[in-house]
């Protein structure tokens, strides 16, 4: 049996990138985080940041420096969440929100990793997480 335990992101400054994602998600940086490894717990899964000396940022959508990964965050309101992530150093790259207010927007974090804020029609928020249509 396999269990996902960590999602690890290369970066030049672990604490700086962990602080960005901590502010964006509202979750604290894991105790014991340091300049070579930092983490944020999401239940059983940790979003972790590992220091890489020769880090090269992805240049999405350029295939020469591909995105490597991206994160999707489901939100209940795009505009207020966009203000929050932009205020914390994200950059808006593309908008795929339809006239009905559903879709996604692509951003990059302060060192170039892409992530999306998504609003999907029919998603129900509960204390246990999202319920998809």
């Amino acid at each position: 049996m396999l269990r996902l335990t960590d999602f690890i992101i290369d970066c030049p400054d672990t604490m700086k990138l962990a602080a960005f994602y901590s502010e964006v998600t509202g979750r604290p940086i894991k105790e014991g985080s340091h300049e070579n490894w930092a983490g944020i717990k999401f239940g059983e899964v940790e979003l972790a940041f590992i220091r890489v000396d020769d880090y090269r940022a992805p240049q999405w959508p350029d295939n020469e420096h591909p995105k490597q990964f991206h994160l999707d965050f489901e939100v209940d309101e795009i505009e207020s969440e966009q203000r929050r992530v932009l205020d914390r150093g994200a950059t808006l790259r593309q908008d795929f929100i339809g006239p009905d207010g559903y879709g996604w927007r692509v951003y990059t974090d302060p060192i170039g990793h892409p992530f999306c804020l998504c609003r999907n029609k029919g998603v129900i928020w509960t204390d246990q997480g999202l319920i998809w249509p």
Side-chain angles (χ1 to χ4, degrees):
M1 181 172 127
L2 296 175
R3 180 178 292 171
L4 179 63
T5 58
D6 298 280
F7 188 92
I8 303 167
I9 301 174
D10 293 352
C11 62
D13 185 328
T14 61
M15 296 304 290
K16 188 172 183 179
L17 194 58
F20 170 80
Y21 281 104
S22 175
E23 289 184 27
V24 166
T25 65
R27 296 191 179 258
I29 297 172
K30 185 177 166 182
E31 190 173 325
S33 293
H34 51 79
E35 66 183 29
N36 291 316
W37 180 277
I40 300 170
K41 292 295 281 183
F42 291 84
E44 294 182 7
V45 178
E46 182 174 330
L47 179 59
F49 310 93
I50 188 169
R51 188 173 64 80
V52 174
D53 290 330
D54 60 347
Y55 175 76
R56 288 179 42 192
Q59 302 296 311
W60 184 88
D62 174 12
N63 286 328
E64 186 176 332
H65 299 99
K67 64 182 175 179
Q68 303 161 9
F69 76 91
H70 78 270
L71 302 172
D72 282 350
F73 296 99
E74 183 71 29
V75 299
D76 58 356
E77 210 288 311
I78 291 275
E79 298 304 324
S80 62
E81 292 302 319
Q82 174 173 290
R83 282 190 297 278
R84 278 185 357 92
V85 301
L86 293 176
D87 286 348
R88 286 160 176 81
T91 302
L92 176 63
R93 296 295 181 184
Q94 277 190 297
D95 186 343
F96 296 98
I97 300 294
D100 59 356
Y102 295 98
W104 67 95
R105 288 185 180 148
V106 181
Y107 304 82
T108 51
D109 67 24
I111 62 167
H113 294 295
F115 68 94
C116 298
L117 297 182
C118 307
R119 184 160 186 254
N120 291 294
K121 188 177 255 181
V123 170
I124 299 169
W125 292 82
T126 71
D127 290 339
Q128 289 74 40
L130 300 175
I131 300 174
W132 294 88

